[in-house]
Amino acid sequence: MFAGQPLAPRHEQTISRFGLRSLLPEEVEVIAGPGCPVCVTPTVALDRAVELALRGVIVTAFGDLMMVPATRMSLLEAKARGGDVRVVYSVSDAVEVARRNPDREVVFVSVGFETTAPTTASELLRGVPENFSVMCYHRLIPPAMELLLGIGDIHIDGFICPGHVAAIIGVKAFRIFAEAYKMPTTIAGFEPNDVLLAILMLLRQLRDGEAMCENEYSRVVREEGNLKAQQFIDEVYDIATADWRGIGRIPQSGLTLKKEFEDFDAEKRYEFTSMKHVDINPGCNCHLVMIGKIYPPECRLFGKVCTPQKPYGPCMVSSEGTCRIYYKYGERPKL
Amino acid sequence: MEAVERFRNAKIAKEISEEIRRLKPDRKVKFMHVCGTAAGPEA
């Protein structure tokens, strides 16, 4: 058996932790795409959260965001300078902070993909206190995948799609890649054999000259997805063009709060200092790592200037960040 | 839980990887995973 500890739900973590690349023939390469929400959250979100914290607002955020470098400072540095920044495990915890502090303003930095968007939507639909608001920076996976197909020098032969995102939006949301782009596609779970099976499925498609959208993660993912979660998303958010850190602006790839919820939109509630937001620091190659153009060790800063203790780029921060995963697990020898 | 254990079973992993090697393409192929993980409380 593989070590049976619960796995952090990310394909790169599964691949690196269990040395799955070492099981593959040299002809088969598996690269990481832009799948870490912390990595792709634009700096403007963090800069504004820092500004609010230093102005006396209670800023609540997932712990993953705390050390992410921003233009002037990270949320952790803002906390060290006296800002009231609190790590929460969910948006529900952030709402609870607001309820317990009725004389303070509380902002939740709401990031993530289709997986986390329904939870924030659910809280807003249930009703939140007036002193609570949301910085909404949710992003959508399929539009980013479409963008990747348009980057000529990456040459992807198949997609391994995220099982948990598919659990929300369904297999149907990924069919476009096989049907319109003729790209072999599998939806995969996060155990080691899930990933290996997904690779096998893609290789079979290539052998047979087919392009299908197959569901390896059928024990969880359904064709239609989670209709209740989709309903929450539809009721609370509009789809809009959005900026991705290191990648740029992607049409129809973000969620913004609908007009009915704008009273709880922190970016409408507060005014922010106008400033230049720096997404990628000089020398940082996170933007190339995020689109699978290079592996983290190919960045000159990797493991030297940029470490988990002192991350220089966003991909070194979160346990889901590709650079952080490479730093932790490294490359395994070929078997 | 038993169903999940199958997906962690090293013997099955070996069988799958052998099948992968049998299907080895005659050119280099590149697969991309686009994970889309939920942000979490770590760090």
Side-chain angles (χ1 to χ4, degrees), chain A residues 178-189:
Chain A
E179 291 170 3
Y181 294 102
K182 306 299 174 200
M183 177 62 63
T185 303
T186 57
I187 291 161

Side-chain angles (χ1 to χ4, degrees), chain A residues 246-260:
Chain A
I247 295 175
R249 189 157 290 186
I250 305 179
Q252 304 295 294
S253 69
L255 297 175
T256 57
L257 293 177
K258 280 187 188 290
K259 195 166 176 48
E260 302 93 282

Side-chain angles (χ1 to χ4, degrees), chain A residues 56-110:
Chain A
V57 173
I58 300 175
V59 171
T60 57
F62 294 127
D64 282 3
L65 281 176
M66 293 295 283
M67 284 176 71
V68 181
T71 304
R72 282 192 302 154
M73 68 184 85
S74 66
L75 281 169
L76 193 63
E77 288 170 292
K79 187 177 174 70
R81 293 185 189 199
D84 195 344
V85 184
R86 304 186 190 184
V87 172
V88 290
Y89 283 79
S90 71
V91 61
S92 305
D93 289 350
V95 172
E96 187 58 28
V97 170
R99 290 206 171 99
R100 289 184 181 186
N101 296 274
D103 55 338
R104 303 273 308 274
E105 288 284 314
V106 177
V107 167
F108 175 62
V109 187
S110 196

Side-chain angles (χ1 to χ4, degrees), chain A:
Chain A
M1 293 289 291
F2 288 105
Q5 293 173 18
L7 291 174
R10 187 165 201 262
H11 289 143
E12 186 55 44
Q13 215 168 61
T14 303
I15 291 165
S16 293
R17 179 177 173 187
F18 292 104
L20 299 188
R21 285 193 180 89
S22 71
L23 299 174
L24 302 177
E26 283 182 3
E27 290 82 356
V28 178
E29 190 178 357
V30 182
I31 55 173
C36 167
V38 169
C39 305
V40 302
T41 298
T43 314
V44 59
L46 299 163
D47 288 341
R48 289 180 172 177
V50 164
E51 185 176 341
L52 289 177
L54 295 178
R55 274 163 43 184
V57 173
I58 300 175
V59 171
T60 57
F62 294 127
D64 282 3
L65 281 176
M66 293 295 283
M67 284 176 71
V68 181
T71 304
R72 282 192 302 154
M73 68 184 85
S74 66
L75 281 169
L76 193 63
E77 288 170 292
K79 187 177 174 70
R81 293 185 189 199
D84 195 344
V85 184
R86 304 186 190 184
V87 172
V88 290
Y89 283 79
S90 71
V91 61
S92 305
D93 289 350
V95 172
E96 187 58 28
V97 170
R99 290 206 171 99
R100 289 184 181 186
N101 296 274
D103 55 338
R104 303 273 308 274
E105 288 284 314
V106 177
V107 167
F108 175 62
V109 187
S110 196
V111 302
F113 296 100
E114 292 89 339
T115 43
T116 47
T119 59
T120 299
S122 161
E123 286 297 328
L124 290 172
L125 288 167
R126 276 170 37 179
V128 294
E130 282 183 6
N131 62 328
F132 177 82
S133 60
V134 170
M135 292 179 67
C136 185
Y137 281 88
H138 290 289
R139 298 291 180 260
L140 304 173
I141 286 287
M145 291 169 63
E146 284 194 78
L147 176 93
L148 290 165
L149 289 173
I151 302 175
D153 53 350
I154 299 182
H155 302 299
I156 302 164
D157 295 288
F159 274 131
I160 300 171
C161 301
H164 44 16
V165 171
I168 302 293
I169 62 178
V171 177
K172 61 182 167 62
F174 294 96
R175 291 208 179 279
I176 184 175
F177 299 103
E179 291 170 3
Y181 294 102
K182 306 299 174 200
M183 177 62 63
T185 303
T186 57
I187 291 161
F190 301 94
E191 301 295 342
N193 292 349
D194 283 316
V195 177
L196 288 173
L197 271 173
I199 293 166
L200 181 60
M201 287 167 145
L202 290 175
L203 286 171
R204 282 180 177 152
Q205 289 190 43
L206 287 178
R207 178 197 63 189
D208 299 337
E210 292 177 331
M212 297 185 290
C213 181
E214 295 185 278
N215 181 12
E216 183 280 330
Y217 203 26
S218 58
R219 64 188 188 278
V220 172
V221 175
R222 303 286 174 264
E223 177 67 24
E224 295 300 316
N226 183 328
L227 297 177
K228 191 73 182 171
Q230 290 171 31
Q231 183 192 333
F232 286 164
I233 291 174
D234 290 344
E235 285 182 26
V236 171
Y237 305 107
D238 286 322
I239 295 176
T241 295
D243 291 324
W244 293 51
R245 185 171 190 167
I247 295 175
R249 189 157 290 186
I250 305 179
Q252 304 295 294
S253 69
L255 297 175
T256 57
L257 293 177
K258 280 187 188 290
K259 195 166 176 48
E260 302 93 282
F261 297 95
E262 69 180 9
D263 288 349
F264 301 102
D265 188 338
E267 292 185 296
K268 295 204 167 121
R269 186 176 289 193
Y270 304 102
E271 287 190 2
F272 297 94
T273 308
S274 177
M275 61 183 285
K276 189 176 187 304
H277 306 284
V278 179
D279 271 351
I280 298 295
N281 287 318
C284 175
N285 283 307
C286 280
H287 57 302
L288 300 178
V289 171
M290 279 187 237
I291 61 170
K293 210 163 178 182
I294 65 167
Y295 288 101
E298 293 174 63
C299 173
R300 279 184 305 161
L301 307 183
F302 178 80
K304 302 180 186 86
V305 173
C306 188
T307 64
Q309 291 73 35
K310 199 168 181 192
Y312 187 72
C315 295
M316 186 56 93
V317 180
S318 163
S319 59
E320 318 296 344
T322 304
C323 296
R324 172 78 175 264
I325 293 169
Y326 266 75
Y327 187 91
K328 184 169 183 183
Y329 297 111
E331 276 293 272
R332 305 290 174 93
K334 281 275 177 193
L335 296 178

Side-chain angles (χ1 to χ4, degrees), chain A residues 1 27 63 157 162 191 319, chain B residues 5 8 29-31 35 42:
Chain A
M1 293 289 291
E27 290 82 356
D157 295 288
E191 301 295 342
S319 59
Chain B
E5 292 302 324
R8 296 175 179 168
V29 297
K30 193 184 276 187
F31 300 142
C35 194
E42 295 183 38

